[in-house]
Amino acid sequence: MPFDRALKIAPSILAADFANFGAECRAIEDQGADWVHIDVMDGHFVPNLTFGPPMVKALRPHVKTVMDVHLMIAPVDPYIEAFAEAGSDIITAHIEAGPHIHRTLQAIRAAGCKAGVALNPGTPAEAIAHLLDLIDLICVMTVNPGFGGQSFVPLEGKVATLRKMLGDREVHIEIDGGVTPKTAPGLVTAGADVLVAGSAVFKGGSVEDPAPYGANMRAIREACD
């Protein structure tokens, strides 16, 4: 995964057809997705239940780009090895999910994955000031995690603060929640370079008719140019 700051679209399969995940992953990549974003929820840290390591492992053969695995679970540490062995390229953990975030990030890197840290909307940028040399990605939640399709929380100022804090470090800033052609441009201007989008990518399309996926992603990119 060579680092670059070119804008990346990472469709969230939480908005895909649950009966056709493998085909959906292939479809979004064929239509121009840069990464595939997998939201893992435990029904404890967030009020929803989604996927575990077996699903990640099952999807790995269908994902040719970057498998971006976002763990909205607590505790995190006991599951890092399983998600790494399942084929994750990036594993992101929430700073709010436990008391030992340094240990978590070190464990992710030790497992051979890129390490991400996620911030809920109410968590300030300064909360990760001491983590900047341990991470490869910051995931800024622009909704409260747990469900797709929530209302967007405007946090362009937070993104700008993080970009300034990072300096020249090779760390991605990812936005997760409510990304659309309307909300994306301000976030990219502020410093984001990875956009997670669920319904904004998958709306109007299907495995049988994936062209709308490409059109939706192009609309986000063009809005940010």
Side-chain angles (χ1 to χ4, degrees):
M1 287 178 57
F3 181 86
D4 69 79
R5 294 201 191 282
L7 179 62
K8 297 165 188 63
I9 306 294
S12 169
I13 64 165
L14 194 63
D17 179 357
F18 277 36
N20 288 290
F21 273 144
E24 290 276 47
C25 289
R26 296 193 301 272
I28 56 176
E29 288 189 333
D30 289 345
Q31 291 295 322
D34 300 288
W35 295 1
V36 175
H37 188 83
I38 301 176
D39 289 305
V40 176
M41 306 182 189
D42 63 358
H44 169 67
F45 179 66
V46 293
N48 200 359
L49 188 65
T50 59
F51 321 115
M55 175 62 80
V56 174
K57 184 176 181 179
L59 291 178
R60 180 72 267 187
H62 302 277
V63 177
K64 306 305 180 188
T65 58
V66 173
M67 183 173 280
D68 177 28
V69 177
H70 178 190
L71 302 184
M72 288 172 270
I73 65 175
V76 178
D77 294 7
Y79 301 98
I80 290 171
E81 185 175 353
F83 279 105
E85 291 179 351
S88 306
D89 292 305
I90 304 168
I91 296 178
T92 297
H94 274 256
I95 191 171
E96 305 90 358
H100 305 300
I101 189 64
H102 284 84
R103 180 186 300 164
T104 299
L105 296 171
Q106 290 165 349
I108 293 171
R109 283 187 166 180
C113 298
K114 297 290 187 181
V117 62
L119 303 175
N120 285 337
T123 302
E126 291 76 13
I128 62 166
H130 57 300
L131 303 174
L132 301 181
D133 294 317
L134 296 174
I135 57 177
D136 302 288
L137 177 144
I138 302 168
C139 177
V140 178
M141 297 300 301
T142 44
V143 298
N144 286 292
F147 295 96
Q150 295 186 70
S151 297
F152 173 77
V153 180
L155 293 173
E156 291 85 354
K158 185 176 182 177
V159 173
T161 297
L162 288 166
R163 177 53 64 202
K164 183 176 181 181
M165 288 167 58
L166 286 170
D168 60 359
R169 293 177 178 86
E170 293 187 348
V171 177
H172 295 292
I173 296 180
E174 177 179 78
I175 304 299
D176 188 353
V179 169
T180 67
K182 181 178 180 180
T183 61
L187 295 162
V188 171
T189 298
D193 60 299
V194 182
L195 301 176
V196 176
S199 56
V201 167
F202 286 98
K203 66 182 180 182
S206 66
V207 168
E208 293 77 18
D209 178 24
Y213 299 165
N216 293 336
M217 286 186 275
R218 286 192 297 275
I220 294 171
R221 294 185 198 277
E222 290 168 3
C224 296
D225 285 343

